């Protein structure tokens, strides 16, 4: 039965390779699916500088804009009346700005026509000394390169720290397997997001990768703890590396599935809660999609990781055996000399 552990390793490698290659190709060609998360937004801004008091004209200024929008079939998504605040006194200066927000699909020609008509109406209906400017802007999502870089450095530092702990506590072999599994889980998770075209925000790939790395190391740490406990038992002393890893994996299965399942349930409940609260598609779909790194990490911890760890353990076991024989031989020779 235990022979299946290493015999199926090429199968698990092949499965992972197909996912990784497909994900990398799609990501290179299409990138991640960002659009539903950060749609374009268009704003129509009217900024006034009170050289002459126009307080009684502000409502007229707003109505001029709203009438133009209605005439052009432009639907205002949000409206903000922003007052300028004097930083030294904390009081209003009288200057301010109206900001009308529209969906990214709003017609550009209609907005530009409305802008020209509003400017013309201001010249005839507002005081000549009032300084009023009108502008139209289109906001598009941008990748937050600096925060992503800092997050990447933080995640990498945490991974290195955990792997050093694993190497000291459970051995270099366990750390090497853990590193391989962690890299596999991060890349495989991002590949599945790219393949499934699950919408993500511009910062989300880094968050998703971080979650995958965290779960991968956490579940592999559970495996390491179980192996350390089991390998101390007398019954494991006669086992081969394959048998020892296989039997230990059976004892860790419940804990691994419990942690991965609890995380997946929490992610789904969070997504459902956000959906009920009226969050947009990307706001609730992303938490639900975190079930993917939970599933990938559980697969790696229970199947891919143990199969990969068998030859690693066998190699280190041979090295330890040779070292013991060498030390024993050296002690014997010293005893003869004495």
């Amino acid at each position: 039965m235990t022979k299946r552990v290493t015999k199926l390793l090429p199968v698990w490698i092949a499965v992972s390779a197909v996912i990784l290659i497909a994900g990398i190709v799609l990501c290179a060609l299409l990138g991640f699916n960002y659009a539903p998360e950060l749609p374009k937004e268009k704003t129509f801004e009217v900024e006034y500088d009170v050289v002459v008091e126009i307080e009684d004209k502000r409502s007229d200024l707003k109505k001029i804009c709203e009438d133009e929008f209605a005439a052009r079939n432009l639907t205002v998504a949000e409206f903000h009346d922003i007052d300028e605040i004097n930083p030294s006194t904390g009081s209003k200066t009288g200057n301010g700005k109206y900001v009308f927000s529209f969906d990214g699909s709003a017609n550009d020609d209609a907005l530009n026509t409305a802008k020209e008509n509003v400017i013309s109406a201001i010249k005839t209906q507002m005081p000549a000394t009032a300084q009023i400017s009108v502008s139209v802007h289109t906001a598009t999502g941008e990748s937050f390169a600096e925060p992503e870089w800092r997050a990447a450095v933080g995640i990498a530092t945490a991974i290195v720290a955990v792997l050093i702990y694993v190497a000291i506590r459970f051995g270099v072999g366990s750390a090497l397997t853990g590193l391989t599994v962690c890299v596999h889980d991060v890349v495989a998770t991002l590949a599945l997001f790219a393949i499934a075209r699950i919408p993500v925000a511009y910062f989300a790939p880094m968050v998703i990768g971080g979650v995958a790395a965290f779960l991968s190391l956490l579940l592999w740490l559970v495996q390491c703890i179980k192996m350390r406990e089991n390998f101390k038992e007398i019954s494991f002393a006669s086992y081969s590396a394959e048998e020892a890893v296989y039997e230990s994996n059976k004892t860790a299965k419940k804990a691994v599935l419990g942690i991965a399942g609890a995380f997946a349930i929490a992610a789904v409940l969070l997504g459902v809660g956000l959906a009920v609260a009226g969050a947009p598609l990307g706001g609730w779909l992303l938490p639900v999609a975190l079930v993917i790194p939970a599933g990938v990490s559980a697969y790696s911890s229970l199947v891919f990781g143990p199969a990969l760890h068998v030859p690693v353990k066998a190699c280190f076991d041979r090295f330890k055996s040779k070292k013991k024989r060498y030390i024993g031989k050296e002690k014997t020779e010293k005893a003869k000399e004495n």
Side-chain angles (χ1 to χ4, degrees):
M1 183 67 177
T2 58
K3 292 294 182 184
R4 295 181 61 189
V5 177
T6 50
K7 280 188 175 180
L8 290 178
L9 179 57
V11 176
W12 309 136
I13 293 176
V15 170
S16 297
V18 170
I19 294 173
L20 296 182
I21 293 172
I24 290 171
V25 170
L26 280 175
C27 195
L29 294 176
L30 304 175
F32 290 102
N33 183 9
Y34 294 120
E37 294 299 316
L38 292 176
K40 289 183 178 180
E41 180 187 52
K42 297 178 181 178
T43 58
F44 189 100
E45 300 182 4
V46 181
E47 189 169 1
Y48 50 88
D49 186 0
V50 184
V51 176
V52 174
E53 181 62 49
I54 65 165
E55 184 64 34
D56 57 337
K57 293 288 187 177
R58 288 179 62 179
S59 59
D60 295 338
L61 182 59
K62 181 182 178 184
K63 188 173 187 307
I64 289 172
C65 297
E66 291 175 337
D67 289 345
E68 269 302 315
F69 299 148
R72 307 290 160 198
N73 294 320
L74 294 169
T75 302
V76 178
E78 292 184 14
F79 169 72
H80 299 283
D81 185 355
I82 303 172
D83 290 308
E84 183 182 277
I85 304 297
N86 188 321
S88 59
T89 63
S91 59
K92 295 180 181 180
T93 63
N95 300 338
K97 179 166 61 174
Y98 287 148
V99 179
F100 300 89
S101 298
F102 301 87
D103 184 78
S105 60
N107 187 278
D108 289 328
D109 292 335
L111 284 171
N112 289 324
T113 301
K115 172 186 172 181
E116 298 302 323
N117 291 344
V118 167
I119 291 174
S120 299
I122 287 172
K123 291 179 179 179
T124 59
Q125 299 181 38
M126 294 289 114
T129 51
Q131 297 180 4
I132 304 174
S133 63
V134 183
S135 58
V136 176
H137 305 280
T138 299
T140 57
E142 297 181 357
S143 178
F144 304 113
E146 186 175 351
E148 282 189 355
W149 172 249
R150 290 179 180 177
V153 171
I155 292 170
T157 303
I159 290 173
V160 170
V162 173
L163 290 173
I164 290 174
Y165 169 78
V166 171
I168 295 173
R169 182 74 172 172
F170 306 105
V172 176
S174 295
L176 291 175
T177 304
L179 174 61
T180 305
V181 169
C182 181
V183 172
H184 165 272
D185 291 357
V186 172
V187 180
T189 296
L190 293 176
L192 286 172
F193 269 78
I195 293 170
R197 310 306 300 157
I198 297 173
V200 298
Y202 278 78
F203 61 89
M206 186 60 64
V207 175
I208 295 163
V211 170
F214 167 77
L215 286 173
S216 178
L217 291 175
L218 176 62
L219 297 184
W220 183 245
L221 192 59
V222 172
Q223 283 281 18
C224 290
I225 292 171
K226 290 293 184 181
M227 284 190 288
R228 188 170 185 270
E229 292 175 354
N230 291 328
F231 294 169
K232 288 181 178 180
E233 295 182 7
I234 299 175
S235 59
F236 276 75
S238 60
Y239 288 166
S240 65
E242 189 170 28
E243 291 170 334
V245 172
Y246 174 77
E247 293 299 327
S248 180
N249 186 35
K250 290 197 296 185
T251 65
K253 187 176 296 184
K254 187 175 180 180
V256 169
L257 292 177
I259 293 172
F263 179 87
I265 292 171
V268 171
L269 291 177
L270 176 59
V272 171
L274 290 172
V276 172
L281 174 64
W284 64 264
L285 183 57
L286 182 58
V288 173
L290 291 180
V291 170
I292 291 178
V296 170
S297 298
Y299 155 77
S300 288
S301 181
L302 294 175
V303 179
F304 182 73
L308 189 65
H309 190 60
V310 168
V312 174
K313 176 175 169 51
C315 179
F316 276 85
D317 285 349
R318 286 194 297 270
F319 174 77
K320 289 178 182 178
S321 179
K322 287 180 181 179
K323 187 177 180 181
K324 285 181 180 179
R325 287 199 301 269
Y326 174 78
I327 294 174
K329 184 178 179 181
E330 191 176 55
K331 286 182 178 180
T332 302
E333 290 176 354
K334 284 183 179 181
K336 289 180 179 179
E337 290 176 359
N338 295 332

